[in-house]
């Protein structure tokens, strides 16, 4: 049986880093478009490029936070943790928004997040709408069931403003064998495939959007989770505080 989407590590957009907005302004805030490319590499890592067209609904904001879940309990058994480390994080903005990076680590129980702040706290945005591009490499994202490798991933989380439209592209060595979209209730999602991979198109996303692609056996290595005994990592959990990784 394949795992539930919630058991597969996801990318979660956590919150805005900004001055407080009035309730009326908060209602107007939304993501005009979210475009994500998951380029699966032969070694099993995934190079992720996320482009966000964010409408803040007001000027005077500073930027955004982006959270990446990199550790959680595996399978509900209580004795193993699954890891999906991220590295080589970059940010840019084609609309000229400040893209100063501050990357920190946060832990809650057995879960761990890498929190990426894309902002300059000394600069207020003079436009209510900006586009951000965040790139990184993720390990441990692939799985294999019955000898068939796959990529089964939550693209969005629940802590997001409404997304007017989302496009997700998954590419892999040798292409893909099948593709399915699992949208949240009320979200329309369609899938097209070509020689390189699959493209998922969704409208009115308000919740978790999950994509599934089957991969060609033998074309990617390390199509399995990175598991660690919970007992070994318990010392790390107790002794390692939230820390600044880079600025």
């Amino acid at each position: 049986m394949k795992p539930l989407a919630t058991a597969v590590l996801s990318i979660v957009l956590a919150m805005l880093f900004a001055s407080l907005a009035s309730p009326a302004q908060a209602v107007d805030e939304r993501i005009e478009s979210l475009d994500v490319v998951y380029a699966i590499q032969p070694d099993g890592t995934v190079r992720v490029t996320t482009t966000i067209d964010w409408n803040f609904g007001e000027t005077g904001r500073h930027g955004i936070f982006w959270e990446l879940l990199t550790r959680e309990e595996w399978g509900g058994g209580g004795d193993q943790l699954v890891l999906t480390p991220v590295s080589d994080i970059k940010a840019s903005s084609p609309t000229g928004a400040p893209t100063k990076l501050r990357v920190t680590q946060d832990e809650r129980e057995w879960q761990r997040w890498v929190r990426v702040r894309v902002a300059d706290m000394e600069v207020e945005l003079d436009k209510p709408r900006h586009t951000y591009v965040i790139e990184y490499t993720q390990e441990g994202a692939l799985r294999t069931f019955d000898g068939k490798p796959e990529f089964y991933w939550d693209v969005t989380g629940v802590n997001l403003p409404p997304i007017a439209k989302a496009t997700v592209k998954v590419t892999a060595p040798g292409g893909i064998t099948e593709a399915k979209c699992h949208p949240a209730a009320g979200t329309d999602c369609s899938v097209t495939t070509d020689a390189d991979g699959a493209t998922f198109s969704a409208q009115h996303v308000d919740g978790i959007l999950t994509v599934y692609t089957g991969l060609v056996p033998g074309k990617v290595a390390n199509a399995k989770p990175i598991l660690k005994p919970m007992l070994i990592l318990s010392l790390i959990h107790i002794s390692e505080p939230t820390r600044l990784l880079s600025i």
Side-chain angles (χ1 to χ4, degrees), residues 1-5 7-8 74 143-146 150 152:
M1 179 180 294
K2 296 180 181 180
L4 295 174
V8 180
W74 171 252
R143 305 287 182 264
T144 299
F145 294 92
D146 299 326
E150 64 179 44
Y152 186 30

Side-chain angles (χ1 to χ4, degrees), residues 6-188:
T6 52
V8 180
L9 299 186
S10 63
I11 298 175
V12 182
L13 190 60
M15 59 176 288
L16 286 176
F17 193 86
S19 56
L20 294 176
S22 68
Q25 290 167 329
V27 170
D28 293 335
E29 187 173 33
R30 71 174 189 168
I31 295 173
E32 302 291 348
S33 67
L34 175 69
D35 298 308
V36 187
V37 176
Y38 297 104
I40 299 170
Q41 306 300 306
D43 65 358
T45 61
V46 182
R47 187 62 184 171
V48 185
T49 302
T50 302
T51 304
I52 315 142
D53 179 359
W54 196 298
N55 190 338
F56 295 95
E58 62 175 352
T59 59
R61 299 295 186 100
H62 295 283
I64 61 173
F65 270 126
W66 189 255
E67 283 193 345
L68 305 170
L69 184 60
T70 59
R71 190 181 80 193
E72 68 175 357
E73 186 177 350
W74 171 252
D79 60 350
Q80 292 190 100
L81 297 173
V82 60
L83 313 180
T84 53
V86 297
S87 59
D88 194 19
I89 302 172
K90 301 177 181 178
S92 59
S93 173
T95 59
T99 55
K100 184 177 181 180
L101 277 177
R102 184 176 186 266
V103 182
T104 57
Q105 194 166 266
D106 188 24
E107 295 188 9
R108 306 165 207 167
E109 299 296 333
W110 295 108
Q111 293 183 323
R112 176 184 288 169
W113 286 263
V114 167
R115 178 177 292 177
V116 182
R117 188 184 77 184
V118 186
D120 188 333
M121 296 312 300
E122 297 182 356
V123 177
E124 293 185 349
L125 300 177
D126 60 359
K127 296 189 298 183
R129 183 173 174 178
H130 274 285
T131 299
Y132 298 87
V133 180
I134 302 173
E135 303 173 71
Y136 55 92
T137 297
Q138 191 134 28
E139 301 175 50
L142 307 184
R143 305 287 182 264
T144 299
F145 294 92
D146 299 326
K148 300 177 180 179
E150 64 179 44
F151 178 71
Y152 186 30
W153 205 254
D154 290 338
V155 180
T156 61
V158 295
N159 297 318
L160 284 164
I163 303 171
K165 62 178 181 178
T167 302
V168 181
K169 175 74 174 179
V170 180
T171 64
I176 63 167
T177 60
E178 60 178 319
K180 298 177 182 178
C181 188
H182 302 282
T187 298
D188 298 322

